[in-house]
Amino acid sequence: MFPTVSGLALTLWLGTTAALADWRDDLPGARSVGTGQFKWFGIAVYEARLWSRDSSPTLDQPFALELTYRREIKRDALVETSLDEIRRLGGESLDQKRLSRWAYEMREAFVDVAPGQSITGLYLPGRGCRFYVDGQLSREVEDPDFARAFFAIWLDPRTRNPELRRRLLGLEVAAE
């Protein structure tokens, strides 16, 4: 049996709607809390923006962290840098099997980025997270421990970049 014209149109419309959906659909009412730039040896790497329904987000509430890249970076470099920071913050409690599984999830979620491209992570406490590349869902990771460890890279008080953390949380405004 072949689909009817109206059935085919509905299928195409639903597929288009799903393709247009982005993280904002999963976090209605989110607004920008703070923004900041990450630089490495004075070179702009990415612009970060934290989105939340709450004006003082924590790792106990959903939020989105949007990174818009200013440089080309390979996927493997994104994964390895993230793993290094997760290891640093997690210490001895993280075993190699778990880290390998998390590396796999990040490799599936991330892409080689080009200037102007963005990756947004949607943090869903107690459930995990979703990653969107240029607004399109790339990967859902149903592991709350991974999600917490990943977003701690930016939001944990022990982050390598406390100034960026303060800006993302709206505690400090960047100088114009």
Side-chain angles (χ1 to χ4, degrees):
M1 172 73 69
F2 294 102
T4 64
V5 172
S6 62
L8 184 58
L10 178 62
T11 301
L12 290 173
W13 180 79
L14 289 173
T16 302
T17 302
L20 295 175
D22 72 5
W23 65 265
R24 289 170 182 83
D25 296 323
D26 296 323
L27 192 61
R31 57 191 181 283
S32 177
V33 176
T35 186
Q37 194 172 77
F38 176 73
K39 293 182 179 181
W40 185 252
F41 294 110
I43 298 170
V45 178
Y46 58 75
E47 182 81 20
R49 182 174 304 272
L50 186 65
W51 299 85
S52 176
R53 292 183 282 227
D54 193 298
S55 60
S56 300
T58 68
L59 287 169
D60 297 321
Q61 321 164 303
F63 60 77
L65 178 65
E66 178 182 31
L67 304 180
T68 303
Y69 290 86
R70 302 292 176 230
R71 313 201 62 67
E72 287 184 14
I73 303 173
K74 296 291 185 191
R75 171 193 347 227
D76 286 340
L78 295 173
V79 171
E80 289 308 314
T81 300
S82 298
L83 280 175
D84 288 346
E85 286 305 296
I86 288 170
R87 277 187 205 99
R88 186 181 69 77
L89 293 169
E92 304 278 328
S93 67
L94 298 173
D95 63 61
Q96 191 54 45
K97 185 177 177 183
R98 176 181 276 193
L99 289 170
S100 293
R101 189 172 61 248
W102 291 356
Y104 170 80
E105 294 292 357
M106 288 187 280
R107 280 189 184 88
E108 292 295 307
F110 302 163
V111 296
D112 295 342
V113 293
Q117 199 164 25
S118 68
I119 297 178
T120 303
L122 177 65
Y123 177 70
L124 302 165
R127 292 177 34 206
C129 60
R130 295 184 189 129
F131 292 101
Y132 298 80
V133 175
D134 290 332
Q136 298 296 308
L137 180 63
S138 172
R139 183 87 174 165
E140 181 166 1
V141 181
E142 294 179 353
D143 182 341
D145 293 335
F146 165 74
R148 192 172 189 90
F150 180 80
F151 289 100
I153 294 170
W154 293 269
L155 299 180
D156 188 284
R158 300 169 295 151
T159 182
R160 277 201 198 273
N161 196 328
E163 180 182 334
L164 178 58
R165 176 183 180 268
R166 287 190 301 273
R167 288 183 178 166
L168 288 172
L169 292 173
L171 304 173
E172 183 178 305
V173 178
E176 299 283 326

